[in-house]
């Protein structure tokens, strides 16, 4: 049994017990039967009335619950439509009381959601209005103020505001950056804002400036105009500085006067600086007209320099006739000014070509210098390893020059095709000029070779007739020594070669007997026998050369001065022997 049924049974038992007690009390009192019936009926009515009232109250509660359920259902359906939610599904086998509670709770929750959505919508619309007003953009999302936005609409609204905020941030940074550059340009140009827009940019607060696309575009346009004017001023100032420097050089202006003006010759393009530079240029221009001859001479020196840089041939130089005109005047000066300007422009346009040719010229001259040293017989007097360094450098240049020539050939060919004109060096095409230089070098080498051969043949003929050409004895290092320093003397006995001399009168020295048959115990014509120690590895050629000189001297003495003093010949022979002993 349910507890309620147990309580109901207990209530009935309690009622029966109460009636039984009443009957006992009435019995004890002695109340007559008719009064007992009357009193019992009163009890019945009273209890019945009480129960009836209770039943009515419970029935009323039931009706209220049912009405509440109906109201909640209607309200819930309306909220689901407003909030764009699916209909609420009731639970099956649910009591009236539970159903009413569930519906009422769900209504409360949905009312809260509705309130929150409306509040968020209001804030989002206010934020959108501010951003669109600042960015001068139209309001794109039109949501009914009294309607409830869906979750998708709120999310779309949030993304829209995020985009607007990012755009505001980007334009704000762009405005600050461009504004800073505009202010710097205005300061550089000594320019004050003269339009309402310029004043708004410079003086208005950054938060108050309208960041519309039009304003940002106008901002960039203003910056472009200022930078363009700044660039023009800078170019003009640079031209004035260049012109002033050029006139200083042409007029030989002293350094003291230049130093006094140096603060305007470095940087800056403000109106004040530009005016000062213009005044100085005008002053120097007047001085130039007053000193035309000197200026023309300076320009001619500069012309010569650029002719050299541009590899002008003599015919090209002669083509500028005013260079040789001595009738100095403004017209002549103007012609020279125009020509030097044209040459400078020509050099700058083709500077890359000229620098490449200049590099080849410098390497070619160095190669010729090293090649000339390579044929110098004195090159073996090497000090500090220069011979090896020079030979390596010469070999490197010999490999590098053809590569450099090929690079220049390709570059010049492309330039000639692009410019539709030929590139000349000293009046010739570059590769023809290079070929001519190599041919001249080969011809020079062939000529030197032929001269050496002729000289050698002539020397051989003279030696066959007169003997070897006298050579000045030179100190020679002992062969076999591995140390370039002093030769160790340990273990080398000091011996003096035995010498047997005959006087020139006893026997004439034979002619052309210079060569020795052996290194030790060599016999010299004229009766001089040398016994050279085996430890001394003296060069055979050295000894033969020394003896040849002595033999020739002796022969000459015998043939020309037979009556000369024998002591003089003996002294010469002693000197020769000392040389051989070394």
């Amino acid at each position: 049994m349910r507890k309620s049924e147990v309580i109901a049974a207990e209530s009935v038992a309690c009622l029966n017990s109460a009636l039984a007690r009443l009957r006992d009390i009435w019995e004890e009192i002695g109340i007559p039967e008719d009064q007992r019936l009357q009193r019992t009926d009163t009890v019945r009515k009273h209890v019945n009335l009480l129960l009836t009232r209770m039943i009515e109250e419970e029935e009323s509660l039931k009706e209220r619950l049912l009405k509440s359920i109906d109201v909640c259902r209607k309200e819930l359906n309306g909220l689901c439509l407003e909030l764009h939610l699916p209909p609420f599904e009731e639970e099956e086998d649910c009591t009236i009381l539970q159903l009413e509670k569930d519906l009422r709770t769900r209504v409360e929750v949905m009312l809260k959601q509705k309130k929150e959505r409306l509040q968020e919508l209001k804030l989002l619309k206010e934020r959108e209005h501010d951003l669109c007003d600042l960015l001068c953009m139209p309001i794109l999302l039109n949501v009914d103020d009294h309607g409830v936005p869906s979750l998708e609409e709120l999310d779309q609204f949030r993304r829209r505001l995020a985009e607007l905020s990012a755009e505001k941030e980007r334009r704000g940074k762009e405005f600050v950056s461009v504004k800073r550059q505009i202010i710097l340009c205005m300061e550089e140009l000594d320019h004050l804002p003269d339009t309402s827009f310029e004043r708004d940019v410079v003086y208005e607060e950054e938060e108050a400036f309208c960041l519309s696309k039009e304003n940002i575009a106008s901002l960039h346009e203003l910056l472009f105009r200022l930078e363009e004017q700044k660039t023009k001023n800078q170019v003009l100032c640079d031209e004035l500085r260049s012109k002033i420097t050029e006139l200083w050089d042409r007029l030989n202006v002293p350094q003291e006067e230049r130093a006094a003006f140096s603060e305007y010759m470095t940087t800056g393009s403000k109106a004040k600086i530009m005016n000062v530079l213009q005044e100085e240029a005008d002053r120097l221009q007047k001085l130039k007209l007053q000193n035309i001859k000197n200026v023309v001479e300076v320009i001619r020196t500069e012309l010569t320099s650029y002719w050299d840089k541009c590899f002008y041939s003599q015919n090209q130089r002669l083509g500028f006739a005013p260079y040789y005109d001595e009738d100095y005047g403004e017209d002549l000066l103007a012609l020279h000014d125009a020509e030097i300007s044209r040459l400078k422009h020509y050099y700058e346009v083709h500077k890359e070509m000229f620098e490449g040719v200049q590099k080849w010229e410098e390497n070619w001259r160095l190669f010729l210098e090293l090649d000339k040293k390579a044929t110098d017989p004195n090159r073996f007097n090497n000090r500090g390893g220069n011979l090896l360094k020079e030979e390596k450098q010469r070999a490197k240049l010999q490999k590098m020059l053809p590569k450099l020539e090929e690079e220049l050939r390709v570059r010049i060919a492309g330039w000639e095709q692009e410019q539709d004109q030929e590139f000349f060096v000293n009046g010739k095409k570059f590769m023809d000029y290079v070929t001519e230089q190599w041919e001249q070098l080969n011809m020079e080498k062939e000529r030197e070779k032929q001269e050496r051969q002729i000289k050698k043949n002539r020397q051989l003929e003279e030696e066959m007739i007169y003997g070897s050409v006298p050579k000045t004895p030179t100190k020679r290092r002992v062969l076999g020594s591995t140390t370039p320093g002093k030769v160790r003397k340990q273990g080398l006995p000091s011996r003096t070669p035995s010498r047997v001399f005959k006087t020139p009168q006893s026997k004439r020295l034979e002619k052309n007997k210079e060569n020795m048959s052996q290194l030790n115990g060599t016999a010299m014509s004229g009766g001089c026998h040398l016994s050279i120690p085996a430890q001394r590895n003296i060069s055979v050629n050295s000894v033969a050369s020394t003896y040849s000189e002595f033999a020739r001297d002796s022969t000459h003495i015998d043939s020309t001065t037979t009556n000369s003093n024998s002591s003089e010949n003996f002294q010469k022979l002693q000197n020769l022997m000392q040389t051989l002993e070394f």
Side-chain angles (χ1 to χ4, degrees), residues 328-345:
Y328 297 98
E330 292 187 14
D331 294 338
L332 185 66
L333 177 59
L335 292 173
H336 279 73
D337 279 333
E339 180 64 13
I340 192 63
S341 298
R342 185 191 68 82
L343 262 182
K344 286 181 179 180
H345 177 71

Side-chain angles (χ1 to χ4, degrees), residues 152-166:
E152 291 77 8
E153 289 175 339
L154 287 176
D155 187 60
Q156 184 181 2
F157 222 148
R158 295 189 195 100
R159 290 196 301 269
R160 164 68 175 167
L161 290 182
E163 293 174 358
L164 292 175
S165 299

Side-chain angles (χ1 to χ4, degrees), residues 399-410:
K399 293 180 180 179
M400 186 181 70
L401 281 171
K403 294 180 181 179
L404 185 57
E405 292 164 7
E406 179 61 20
E407 290 178 2
L408 284 171
R409 185 190 68 79
V410 174

Side-chain angles (χ1 to χ4, degrees), residues 57-302:
E57 289 179 0
E58 295 302 322
E59 288 290 342
S60 176
L61 175 61
K62 179 182 176 181
E63 291 178 0
R64 290 198 305 273
L65 289 175
L66 291 175
K67 288 181 180 179
S68 176
I69 288 173
D70 292 337
V71 172
C72 288
R73 281 174 176 169
K74 293 179 181 180
E75 191 172 1
L76 195 57
N77 291 333
L79 289 173
C80 288
L81 292 175
E82 287 182 331
L83 298 177
H84 305 279
L85 297 175
F88 177 73
E89 296 182 359
E90 300 176 2
E91 296 182 4
E92 297 180 357
D93 300 331
C94 182
T95 63
I96 295 175
L97 185 62
Q98 184 64 37
L99 179 59
E100 192 274 339
K101 181 180 178 182
D102 293 343
L103 293 174
R104 179 166 42 83
T105 303
R106 184 61 179 170
V107 168
E108 292 176 355
V109 171
M110 296 184 75
L111 286 173
K112 184 178 179 181
Q113 289 183 4
K114 177 181 178 181
K115 182 179 179 181
E116 291 176 350
R117 290 191 189 184
L118 291 174
Q119 288 179 346
E120 184 177 4
L121 176 63
K122 182 181 179 181
L123 294 176
L124 292 175
K125 294 189 71 172
E126 291 177 355
R127 179 63 177 161
E128 182 197 28
H129 184 272
D130 294 340
L131 290 173
C132 290
D133 184 58
L134 182 63
L135 299 173
C136 297
M137 297 176 64
I139 298 176
L140 299 180
L141 296 178
N142 294 321
V143 180
D144 187 5
D145 294 337
H146 303 288
V148 181
S150 64
L151 294 176
E152 291 77 8
E153 289 175 339
L154 287 176
D155 187 60
Q156 184 181 2
F157 222 148
R158 295 189 195 100
R159 290 196 301 269
R160 164 68 175 167
L161 290 182
E163 293 174 358
L164 292 175
S165 299
E167 182 66 15
K168 172 183 175 295
E169 186 72 16
R170 186 188 66 79
R171 293 188 187 181
K173 290 182 179 179
E174 186 176 3
F175 169 71
V176 172
S177 175
V178 177
K179 176 182 178 179
R180 186 181 300 111
Q181 297 178 61
I182 288 174
I183 293 175
L184 291 176
C185 286
M186 287 184 174
E187 291 177 353
E188 182 70 21
L189 296 171
D190 289 334
H191 175 77
L192 294 176
D194 53 5
T195 65
S196 60
F197 180 76
E198 292 180 2
R199 287 191 290 270
D200 290 342
V201 171
V202 176
Y203 302 123
E204 193 171 344
E205 294 292 333
E206 297 174 0
E207 293 78 8
F209 186 80
C210 180
L211 300 176
S212 64
K213 289 184 178 180
E214 293 76 12
N215 282 354
I216 296 297
S218 300
L219 205 65
H220 282 285
E221 184 180 354
L222 174 60
L223 177 60
F224 176 77
R225 291 200 308 270
L226 293 174
E227 287 182 339
E228 188 177 28
Q229 185 62 42
K230 179 182 174 182
T231 302
K232 290 181 180 178
N233 289 0
Q234 185 64 48
V235 171
L236 179 59
C237 288
D238 291 341
E239 291 176 353
L240 288 172
R241 291 187 180 99
S242 178
K243 184 177 181 181
I244 289 171
T245 303
E246 180 181 327
L247 291 173
W248 278 349
D249 294 337
R250 291 179 179 179
L251 296 171
N252 294 322
V253 176
Q255 291 296 330
E256 295 77 10
E257 186 176 343
R258 300 187 187 191
F261 197 76
S262 61
E263 61 176 312
Y264 303 103
M265 296 296 292
T266 54
T267 57
S269 58
K270 293 184 177 181
K272 177 183 176 181
I273 296 177
M274 188 165 54
N275 292 335
V276 173
L277 292 174
Q278 186 64 56
E279 291 174 0
E280 178 66 8
D282 294 340
R283 184 185 70 84
L284 293 173
Q285 186 68 22
K286 293 179 181 179
L287 288 177
K288 184 182 78 169
L289 295 177
Q290 296 172 5
N291 299 270
I292 290 179
K293 182 177 180 180
N294 294 335
V295 174
V296 169
E297 293 298 333
V298 173
I299 296 177
R300 286 176 176 175
T301 302
E302 194 174 1

Side-chain angles (χ1 to χ4, degrees), residues 355-404:
E355 287 180 349
V357 175
Q358 182 64 32
K359 181 180 179 181
W360 182 88
E361 283 276 358
E362 292 172 357
N363 285 284
W364 176 253
R365 284 196 294 269
L366 180 59
F367 174 74
L368 293 179
E369 181 181 348
L370 294 175
D371 190 69
K372 185 176 181 181
K373 288 184 179 180
T375 59
D376 186 1
N378 295 325
R379 70 188 186 280
F380 296 106
N381 297 330
N382 186 25
R383 292 294 184 269
N386 290 332
L387 179 61
L388 181 59
K389 293 179 182 178
E390 291 175 356
E391 187 60 27
K392 287 183 178 180
Q393 190 176 10
R394 188 176 74 88
K396 180 180 179 182
L397 287 172
Q398 195 165 6
K399 293 180 180 179
M400 186 181 70
L401 281 171
K403 294 180 181 179
L404 185 57

